[in-house]
Every structure is written in structure tokens, then in C-alpha cells.
Amino acid sequence: TINTSTMEGHLTSNSESVNGKHGWNWFVTHNEEYHSAIPAKEKTVAENLHQKCTEFLKTRPESEDNAYFLCYHTMHRFALARDLKVQKSFELWQKWLVWLEKERPEDLKEEMFEEDFRMGKGFFHGKDKKNRPIFIVKPALHWPSKDPEVFKRTSDLFLYCFNYAAKVADSIGSGQICMIYDRTGMQRGNLDLALYKHLASAFQDSFPERLGTVFILKPNWIYWLGWGIVKSFLSKRTKEKIHIISDMKILKQYIDEDQLLESFGGKSTYQYKYKPGMFTFDPAKVHSGAHLNSNLLCLKEENPAVRFEQFDSTSPKL
């Protein structure tokens, strides 16, 4: 049973009605270029899914977050995640509502993960050629055998970072995230198959179509051992987004040199150093470039006409 009233104001404190400022009709009207570029079949499925989800929410207590639950971008992402099958997309959407109520990602705060951020387990730097913020992960800093609490904390850390990255991606108009999984220095003791399986399942269902691409660097036998197990938990669509990179030069096909760290073959001399507030989303910082370095290189909109404008400073947070 989904009780949306328990999430009242959880995603936003000022969203309007389903067809109000941030709803379905507003999005289509204000994002014509994005909307017109969607294939007719995808539009039809998104519209059918929207109708089905709208009817479902009518049976539930009113929530000010309904505008986000039903916005066009949300419907389109869920439709794509289930290969344009309306019923399967609807079931995934219902599962997402249950997940939001249970996990409450907005309850997670940056200060809960300061130790991990200071270590540099994960941070943001630059964007790829599709204007997607780049999340860099350092698994060599993860030691499951040395810390019994590390599974829960790392799971929550990734949830917080994906939530943060989704807000940045929506605000700059890409809607998706690029991830670089940097295995430099990784040893057998860093391997955590239980965590990988959990994250693989959780994030492809809870953040459908958020992940644009993943680059896995320096694969060795440890990687192939883990991949052989984890891949069974991934959909075909997700697996197609994963690129295994042995030659760093390949990254330049997807990321401009000035957005790519020198350690990855780029020209960016950025040195990550944690400062409090780096991972707390502030819409005012996005266009000043203050999010992509975790004090970002300037993020510029490639095409302002296709921004997901419903995700501005007054819109739902995720």
C-alpha cells in the first residue's frame, strides 16, 4: 500500500497542481523542442502512463508532490526504462513511490557523509559531451572487511550522491549522469559483491534512465569476477550503457579534454579537496558553475530551449 500523504512536502514545499506550473501541460508547453523530438510511440506510451498514474493517485490522499510524480520527464523516463510497456512502467512507478516513502532520500544530509567525502570516495568534476555531470567513484577507498557499518553508509552515500547529481542534471537540462568508476589501486579487499548487487538493483529501479553512461577503468581479474555476478542483476538497457576502458584515450571521444582530469588523459588540473557545502544542492550555483567540481567547471547549457524547466529552484527536489 502506498500512502503518499506520508511524503507530503517531502520532495518540495511549493510545487503546484498536476497541470499547474510544474505539471504535465506546463512542461509540454514550455519545452516544445524537447517534446517534439520524442518519437511518436514514446509520446503515446508516456501519455498513457500519465493517465494511468493520474487515476491511481486520485485514490490516494492529496500530496503537493503529485506534480513531480506525474511530470512529463518522469513519465518519459519510466516508459523508457521498461521498453515502452505501459503496465510494466506503471508497476515500476508504483515501486518507486514505495521506495521514496521507505528510503526518504531527502532526509539524507551532506554532513552525514563528511568522512567519506573527505576521503574522496566519490566526487563530481566536469561534464561529458552530452552535458551530463560526471560522478567519479574511487572503489579503492572502500574497505568492507575493516568497517562493519560500511555497507549501509556507502549505500546511503551513493543514494545521496545520485539524488544530488539528478538535481544538477535536471537543472542544466541533461537529465542524466555520467559515471567514471576509477579502479586505480583497487585490491581484492575492496571487492564488495553484496554492495554492488544492492546498488545495481536499487538504482536502476529507483533512478530509471538517470544513468547516461558508465566508464569502468582498468579492469582486471577482480573486476571480471565481480562483473560476472553483478551483470545478472542489470537490465539489457543498463548493460548497454557500461563501457570497459583500458585505453584512456577512448574517454576523449565522450568527454572534452578540459573537462577530463589529467589522470584520465585530459587537461584538467583540478585537485579534489572536500569543503563543507560542496554536495548540498543550491539551484543558484548551477549556472555559475559551482556544482561540477563539487565546485564545478562552468556548466553551460548547450541548448537552453531543451532545459527541463520544471526543475527550477521552486520545483520538486527529486
Side-chain angles (χ1 to χ4, degrees), residues 71-174:
C71 81
Y72 196 98
H73 186 217
T74 301
M75 297 292 96
H76 190 212
R77 288 193 296 106
F78 276 83
L80 290 175
R82 287 297 180 265
D83 300 319
L84 304 182
K85 301 292 191 294
V86 174
Q87 183 58 34
K88 289 185 177 181
S89 301
F90 176 63
E91 291 169 359
L92 179 62
W93 178 82
Q94 287 184 303
K95 184 178 179 180
W96 174 61
L97 293 187
V98 172
W99 177 83
L100 283 174
E101 181 180 4
K102 178 182 178 182
E103 299 296 333
R104 301 182 68 84
E106 294 298 327
D107 287 349
L108 298 175
K109 305 301 178 184
E110 177 180 339
E111 53 268 26
M112 299 168 65
F113 309 105
E114 283 195 1
E115 178 184 348
D116 298 290
F117 288 139
R118 292 186 189 282
M119 290 174 60
K121 277 188 177 181
F123 60 93
F124 294 88
H125 176 70
K127 59 176 182 175
D128 68 7
K129 291 183 179 181
K130 292 188 176 182
N131 207 35
R132 298 179 293 209
I134 300 172
F135 180 41
I136 299 170
V137 181
K138 299 282 190 176
L141 298 174
H142 177 71
W143 292 95
S145 61
K146 296 180 180 181
D147 183 354
E149 303 296 326
V150 74
F151 180 95
K152 171 63 175 171
R153 191 176 70 249
T154 303
S155 176
D156 285 346
L157 170 69
F158 272 79
L159 170 56
Y160 181 84
C161 288
F162 263 64
N163 191 1
Y164 170 90
K167 296 172 188 177
V168 175
D170 285 335
S171 293
I172 65 175
S174 63

Side-chain angles (χ1 to χ4, degrees), residues 219-276:
N220 61 5
W221 69 270
I222 298 176
Y223 165 76
W224 293 113
L225 173 64
W227 175 245
I229 297 173
V230 173
K231 68 179 182 180
S232 62
F233 293 87
L234 302 176
S235 67
K236 178 182 177 182
R237 191 176 183 89
T238 300
K239 284 186 280 190
E240 290 173 347
K241 298 177 181 181
I242 298 173
H243 305 277
I244 303 167
I245 304 293
S246 296
D247 185 351
M248 296 293 185
K249 294 179 181 178
I250 296 175
L251 287 173
K252 296 178 186 179
Q253 298 176 22
Y254 303 91
I255 304 170
D256 290 329
E257 288 185 328
D258 66 338
Q259 303 286 300
L260 191 62
L261 293 175
E262 286 184 331
S263 58
F264 300 150
K267 294 183 178 180
S268 173
T269 59
Y270 172 72
Q271 297 289 322
Y272 171 75
K273 184 177 181 180
Y274 176 70
K275 296 179 181 178

Side-chain angles (χ1 to χ4, degrees), residues 193-211:
L193 295 179
L195 178 66
Y196 301 158
K197 289 188 289 184
H198 171 74
L199 293 178
S201 176
F203 290 114
Q204 74 175 354
D205 288 345
S206 305
F207 294 88
E209 291 303 302
R210 284 300 193 186
L211 199 59

Side-chain angles (χ1 to χ4, degrees), residues 248-317:
M248 296 293 185
K249 294 179 181 178
I250 296 175
L251 287 173
K252 296 178 186 179
Q253 298 176 22
Y254 303 91
I255 304 170
D256 290 329
E257 288 185 328
D258 66 338
Q259 303 286 300
L260 191 62
L261 293 175
E262 286 184 331
S263 58
F264 300 150
K267 294 183 178 180
S268 173
T269 59
Y270 172 72
Q271 297 289 322
Y272 171 75
K273 184 177 181 180
Y274 176 70
K275 296 179 181 178
M278 291 174 78
F279 294 88
T280 297
F281 182 73
D282 179 355
K285 294 180 181 179
V286 173
H287 301 297
S288 67
H291 276 298
L292 282 190
N293 284 338
S294 301
N295 109 7
L296 289 180
L297 293 175
C298 188
L299 271 185
K300 297 179 180 178
E301 295 178 44
E302 299 297 335
N303 187 349
V306 298
R307 275 187 69 211
F308 299 135
E309 296 184 54
Q310 81 279 28
F311 296 97
D312 61 16
S313 60
T314 62
S315 67
K317 296 177 183 176

